[in-house]
Amino acid sequence: MKNIIFVAPPAAGKGTCSEMLTNNFGYNHISTGDLLREARIKGDDLGKKIAELMDSGALVGDDIVLELLSNELKSMDNNQAFILDGYPRNILQAKTLDNLFNELSIDNYIVIYLNIDYDKALSRTLGRLICPNCKTGYNKDTTSLKPKVDGICDKCGEKLITRSDDNEETFKIRFDNYIKETEPILKYYQEKNLLNIIDATQGVDDIIKEIERVI
Ligand code: AMP
């Protein structure tokens, strides 16, 4: 089974797909967004800096994210396939990841681009809910992703919340950042013959079927 790097605009479904692939195939899901959300909860100086950047829609500094990611990759079981959700987000991070993979002798991976347009991604963002405890994602506007009981996590019973950066104003900045910073890495991976493009506007089961074909 191949390791997966997801590249996608905000709210394309990286988190939802990662969760399903983790449940179905035993992937280890590494989300830099989740690592940063954990770091910000600590409330120390670094946590405050991360919170400010995330809530403004900006990217967090490359060095901060790299340290969290590299600790995670180095501590993981080498035999377990992993999904990278949220990294790399710019060319520098893509090159840094190449070096990190070399250092850790990781070469069995593909890149999956989940393609979605601005309006659909915005509408998903505004319906998104997450469980602050087990991190399961839901969407109140998508039948297959609604929780069984309104506002409550199916898995652990915790009250669901809206992410602090899931509002229209911040979404616009995140999407603009995606176009400027992240989209150029598609070409980078295309040239390495690693890129797989999947239509993220289909239902999640169809997306997973397409992913199954390439992993
Ligand atoms: P996500 O959960 O992937 O939507 O990420 C939420 C936020 O975390 C982003 O809007 C960024 O502020 C920050 N973030 C996540 N991954 C990265 C990364 N690789 N580089 C910089 N900032 C990141």
Side-chain angles (χ1 to χ4, degrees):
M1 207 161 59
K2 293 191 175 105
N3 299 303
I4 299 173
I5 298 176
F6 273 129
V7 179
K14 299 188 299 287
T16 307
C17 291
S18 300
E19 223 176 278
M20 290 189 76
L21 292 165
T22 300
N23 293 337
N24 297 355
F25 301 104
Y27 272 101
N28 181 11
H29 177 202
I30 304 174
S31 153
T32 45
D34 283 348
L35 293 174
L36 289 164
R37 279 182 281 278
E38 273 162 33
R40 70 181 275 176
I41 288 173
K42 291 187 186 145
D44 52 9
D45 284 349
L46 179 62
K48 284 183 193 145
K49 190 170 158 195
I50 292 172
E52 200 182 308
L53 287 164
M54 286 178 90
D55 289 346
S56 74
L59 290 181
V60 174
D62 292 327
D63 292 352
I64 297 174
V65 187
L66 176 62
E67 189 177 337
L68 293 171
L69 175 68
S70 124
N71 289 342
E72 196 69 17
L73 280 174
K74 286 177 183 165
S75 68
M76 126 197 127
D77 170 2
N78 285 345
N79 296 317
Q80 193 182 2
F82 62 86
I83 297 171
L84 262 193
D85 159 5
Y87 195 99
R89 261 180 154 100
N90 58 36
I91 287 282
L92 179 67
Q93 290 187 2
K95 291 184 176 164
T96 306
L97 189 62
D98 284 348
N99 294 336
L100 193 56
F101 279 1
N102 276 340
E103 191 189 320
L104 300 173
S105 304
I106 295 170
D107 56 9
N108 182 27
Y109 64 96
I110 52 166
V111 176
I112 295 181
Y113 166 49
L114 296 176
N115 187 16
I116 190 167
D117 67 28
Y118 180 94
D119 289 338
K120 290 206 177 80
L122 172 62
S123 108
R124 282 192 188 171
T125 296
L126 299 180
R128 180 153 68 179
L129 295 167
I130 55 163
C131 172
N133 178 41
C134 70
K135 313 283 182 297
T136 302
Y138 297 87
N139 198 296
K140 56 181 160 51
D141 303 326
T142 307
T143 313
S144 61
L145 296 175
K146 277 186 190 170
K148 292 195 181 91
V149 178
D150 256 6
I152 301 294
C153 179
D154 295 350
K155 289 194 184 149
C156 69
E158 185 77 30
K159 202 163 175 254
L160 300 176
I161 57 164
T162 297
R163 271 170 47 170
S164 52
D165 54 350
D166 275 350
N167 57 71
E168 188 160 356
E169 191 188 342
T170 310
F171 174 83
K172 188 177 176 331
I173 299 168
R174 285 158 63 206
F175 201 92
D176 284 351
N177 276 338
Y178 168 79
I179 299 290
K180 270 193 235 122
E181 302 266 341
T182 311
E183 216 173 48
I185 66 181
L186 297 177
K187 187 161 173 271
Y188 181 81
Y189 285 122
Q190 193 162 33
E191 283 166 4
K192 287 174 175 275
N193 250 335
L194 290 168
L195 187 67
N196 296 268
I197 302 174
I198 294 186
D199 172 9
T201 61
Q202 349 170 42
V204 67
D205 289 337
D206 292 322
I207 298 177
I208 297 295
K209 274 188 206 138
E210 284 202 38
I211 295 177
E212 274 180 46
R213 277 199 286 273
V214 292
I215 55 172

